[in-house]
Amino acid sequence: MGRQFALKIVPASEPNDDVSLEAKFLNISSHPNIVQIKSAEYWSDNLGKPYFLIEMEYVSGGNMQSMINKGCTIFDIVKLMKNVFFALDHAHPKLIHRDIKPANILLGGGGKLSDFGIAMLASSGLSPSTKFYNRNLAPECCGASPSFSVASDIYAAGLTLLRGLNLISDWKASLAAIPNWRAKMAAGALIQALGFHTRVPVKLKKIVTKACASDPKKRYSSAAAFRDALESLIILRDWKSEATDRWSCIHAGAREEIIIDSANKTFRVQYFRNGRRKLAQCSDFLVYTEAERFAYHTISQSSLG
């Protein structure tokens, strides 16, 4: 028909699953920041095996995880997540998404939330599937009787924001590196175990920590409140990584750079503004990792107003 679309093919043989619910959920939650559904129907192959076909808009540009893997800026992540919160705020009166993670946030159209395959109705708990993603869970969702709510989606969104800010390319490996990570997740101590990348400003750390509080009542009360916290940030410098030892930004009409170079067995961190060194932000180190930490600390201190 001369157009592109995405076709999701879902096996329909699980007796306890109602795969058609995903299409219904997409339909009732229509929003510019949610992937749009075009059509849906059952289909059987030539062996009689049943499937459910969901035709959706094709969203180009990859997803948040691909953006993280390429090395995105702090501003890239914050801007994308603000649009995700528009989608969640619209959906939450009716649905709990239950699967918020970088792979389910598409970049096209400014950011679109996708994959409602394990979402549930807020009023009844009805869901297309009895399964759920178990690596982004709020503490109250980890036990034998998991409790999913707006608050658990807020937690998952906070953890997703952290994954972007920390540039975590392999989430499974990052969790595996934490001793007893499942116990820490259940206890609400996963954020502390993960820590924050040195580049993350203090104000953003506080926002993520609040979103991922172990007590659901201490998190943001809604996606709108979470978004408002991000909107309150004043971004001064959007530092971009040009290489492993070089970052740049445009601030007040001037090009600023942070560069790590080596000379005489030392590693020198240099800060330039329109090619002129700012000596107060320069320092020498004997070990590269210390120089890198200093550079990222400078980024964290100068990114926000």
Side-chain angles (χ1 to χ4, degrees), residues 135 155 159 162-163 166 168 170-186 189-196:
R135 295 184 185 273
Y155 181 97
L159 204 52
L162 175 65
R163 289 168 65 170
N166 279 7
I168 297 176
D170 191 334
W171 180 235
K172 187 176 180 179
S174 295
L175 290 178
I178 300 172
N180 301 315
W181 70 266
R182 291 187 184 276
K184 288 182 172 63
M185 179 178 282
L190 187 62
I191 293 296
Q192 293 78 5
L194 286 165
F196 289 91

Side-chain angles (χ1 to χ4, degrees), residues 265-278:
K265 298 182 179 180
T266 62
F267 297 94
R268 177 170 295 175
V269 180
Q270 302 192 82
Y271 194 118
F272 294 94
R273 180 175 173 82
N274 279 346
R276 299 182 63 181
R277 278 204 309 164
K278 298 181 68 177

Side-chain angles (χ1 to χ4, degrees), residues 22 25-26 29 33-35 84 87-88 91-92 94-101 103-105 112-122 127-128 131-133 148-150 152-154 156-157 160:
E22 180 178 0
F25 288 174
L26 282 169
S29 58
N33 294 114
I34 294 176
V35 173
V84 170
L88 279 177
H92 270 162
K94 299 176 182 177
L95 299 171
I96 309 302
H97 188 275
R98 299 205 304 168
D99 199 14
I100 302 168
K101 59 186 178 184
N104 287 342
I105 298 171
K112 290 177 181 279
L113 187 60
S114 68
D115 203 339
F116 283 65
I118 58 174
M120 75 177 200
L121 284 176
S127 175
K131 304 177 181 67
F132 53 84
Y133 180 59
F148 292 95
S149 64
V150 167
S152 62
D153 268 3
I154 295 297
T160 297

Side-chain angles (χ1 to χ4, degrees), residues 51-300:
Y51 295 90
F52 192 69
L53 311 182
I54 305 175
E55 180 195 3
M56 297 172 285
E57 66 171 320
Y58 174 73
V59 183
S60 63
N63 58 33
M64 180 178 172
Q65 188 60 61
S66 65
M67 185 174 77
I68 292 170
N69 295 346
K70 293 176 182 177
C72 51
T73 71
I74 291 171
F75 179 71
D76 289 336
I77 292 296
V78 170
K79 183 179 179 180
L80 181 63
M81 289 302 297
K82 284 192 289 189
N83 284 338
V84 170
F85 291 129
F86 279 117
L88 279 177
D89 189 49
H90 173 77
H92 270 162
K94 299 176 182 177
L95 299 171
I96 309 302
H97 188 275
R98 299 205 304 168
D99 199 14
I100 302 168
K101 59 186 178 184
N104 287 342
I105 298 171
L106 307 182
L107 302 182
K112 290 177 181 279
L113 187 60
S114 68
D115 203 339
F116 283 65
I118 58 174
M120 75 177 200
L121 284 176
S123 58
S124 65
L126 189 65
S127 175
S129 175
T130 56
K131 304 177 181 67
F132 53 84
Y133 180 59
N134 63 7
R135 295 184 185 273
N136 242 45
L137 291 178
E140 67 271 18
C141 302
C142 294
S145 301
S147 176
F148 292 95
S149 64
V150 167
S152 62
D153 268 3
I154 295 297
Y155 181 97
L159 204 52
T160 297
L161 176 58
L162 175 65
R163 289 168 65 170
L165 295 173
N166 279 7
L167 296 175
I168 297 176
S169 58
D170 191 334
W171 180 235
K172 187 176 180 179
S174 295
L175 290 178
I178 300 172
N180 301 315
W181 70 266
R182 291 187 184 276
K184 288 182 172 63
M185 179 178 282
L190 187 62
I191 293 296
Q192 293 78 5
L194 286 165
F196 289 91
H197 194 290
T198 314
R199 75 172 187 159
V200 181
V202 171
K203 290 179 181 178
L204 261 174
K205 292 179 183 178
K206 291 180 177 179
I207 288 173
V208 172
T209 300
K210 179 178 174 67
C212 296
S214 57
D215 183 351
K217 295 179 181 179
K218 294 182 178 180
R219 299 172 201 156
Y220 293 103
S221 59
S222 66
F226 199 160
R227 186 185 68 242
D228 287 345
L230 295 179
E231 292 281 9
S232 71
L233 298 174
I234 301 173
I235 297 179
L236 296 180
R237 294 172 177 85
D238 185 25
W239 290 102
K240 295 177 173 62
S241 175
E242 296 184 348
T244 57
D245 55 2
R246 183 185 296 263
W247 301 263
S248 69
C249 70
I250 301 296
H251 174 61
R255 177 179 170 83
E256 297 187 354
E257 295 175 286
I258 299 173
I259 300 171
I260 303 175
D261 57 28
S262 58
N264 299 322
K265 298 182 179 180
T266 62
F267 297 94
R268 177 170 295 175
V269 180
Q270 302 192 82
Y271 194 118
F272 294 94
R273 180 175 173 82
N274 279 346
R276 299 182 63 181
R277 278 204 309 164
K278 298 181 68 177
L279 293 177
Q281 280 77 40
C282 299
S283 190
D284 293 348
F285 300 89
L286 295 176
V287 181
Y288 179 83
T289 53
E290 292 179 357
E292 185 181 49
R293 188 178 299 112
F294 180 84
Y296 277 128
H297 178 74
T298 301
I299 288 172
S300 74

